[in-house]
Amino acid sequence: MKTNEIYNLAINKGIEADFRGREGVEKLLKRRKEKFEKLSEGEKKEFDLESLENPYSDSRILNIAEDKEIKKVLVGIDIEPAEILLAKEIGNIDLIIAHHPLGKSLANLSEVMELQCDILNQYGVPINIAEGLMKERIEEVARGVNKLNHQRTVDTAKLLNFNLINLHTPCDNLAAKFLKDLIEKENPERLEDLMKILKEIPEYKKAMEFGAGPRLFVGSEENRCGRIAITEITGGTEGSPKLYEKMAVAGIGTVVGMHISEEHKKEAEAANINVVIAGHMSSDSLGMNLFLDELEKQGIEIIPCSGFIRISRNK
Ligand SMILES: [Fe+2]
């Protein structure tokens, strides 16, 4: 497989696992195309054409130094210049895959967050409330990433001639779908039962060894879970803290997330929503693994680095 085939496979897998369904994603792309057609020539020139085919603004091919057959990949959660140098040291790395956004996909991270509106709506939050509160938060994230040094790692990859891509929301979609299916199948009654289920997942089991296993951030083990929502695994980054109150009204009892800020935790507490934090690097690893198994099946060697816990489900 070549870099663009690997990338396209990831986008396709991400759409397959998307909570909006393939149909929902296609509807969104169709709408984007219609809006694009109406733009002036000048506006069209500025438009990110890839966003017409790819619904995930936070996942991109960042550099193709040599369009070759990929046999060995270095995969990390955060790829920084140090990891590019590491790839050089290791040798024979054909492609570097980052999870977290870099370059253009970091600059455009906020655009993928609209996915959260649909997920919240599926869990019963009225779409007008989800859209209203998320709009504020999306703009805040857009301003927040604006100041960053987006191209630093991409520049390093260019200087050292490495192929570089990043896969964020497609993989987070895979993790979210995996967790949703498992939790719905097991249907845990209390938080302790939910924690037990999470702790059996190999990525979380491994994370427990170094003190980063699943943790209860709000609520006690004896609490009943109520309706469990997987609203905070995919969709770019944390949503609005004001959403917890609305989620409680919509009938959500417990939220399973990757990470949570203090402000969000306080709001969840005030709304009596239990919060289970599965773990950040481990949840990111879960999503990456579900995709990388496909590459492994094609005979591609995977070298994990930068917090990525590689677990294969290919046996
Ligand atoms: Fe992450």
Side-chain angles (χ1 to χ4, degrees), residues 77 99-100 168 172 236 258-259 280-281 284:
I77 302 300
H99 176 59
H100 285 147
H168 193 224
D172 284 349
M258 279 197 202
H259 45 82
H280 188 187
M281 295 307 120
D284 281 343

Side-chain angles (χ1 to χ4, degrees), residues 1-12 61 64 67-70 95 165 291 295 298 300:
M1 291 178 97
K2 291 196 169 176
T3 300
N4 63 343
E5 290 172 299
I6 290 174
Y7 176 75
N8 290 339
L9 178 66
I11 301 301
N12 202 35
I61 294 177
I64 297 207
D67 195 15
K68 58 183 168 184
E69 202 53 37
I70 307 301
L95 169 68
I165 66 172
F291 167 64
L295 299 192
Q298 306 286 324
I300 296 173

Side-chain angles (χ1 to χ4, degrees), residues 79-150:
I79 296 295
E80 295 191 345
E83 280 75 25
I84 311 268
L85 284 168
L86 176 67
K88 196 168 175 239
E89 281 289 316
I90 294 171
N92 297 320
I93 299 289
D94 302 310
L95 169 68
I96 302 173
I97 306 180
H99 176 59
H100 285 147
L102 295 165
K104 195 177 189 175
S105 68
L106 177 57
N108 294 331
L109 166 67
S110 65
E111 284 166 33
V112 86
M113 292 173 74
E114 64 182 351
L115 163 59
Q116 291 186 43
C117 299
D118 291 89
I119 297 178
L120 286 159
N121 187 230
Q122 283 174 11
Y123 283 108
V125 177
I127 193 66
N128 53 310
I129 293 178
E131 282 185 345
L133 291 177
M134 281 305 296
K135 188 172 182 283
E136 245 175 72
R137 175 70 182 136
I138 289 171
E139 283 164 7
E140 189 182 282
V141 171
R143 287 192 298 274
V145 296
N146 185 271
K147 61 179 177 282
L148 302 175
N149 187 352
H150 310 117

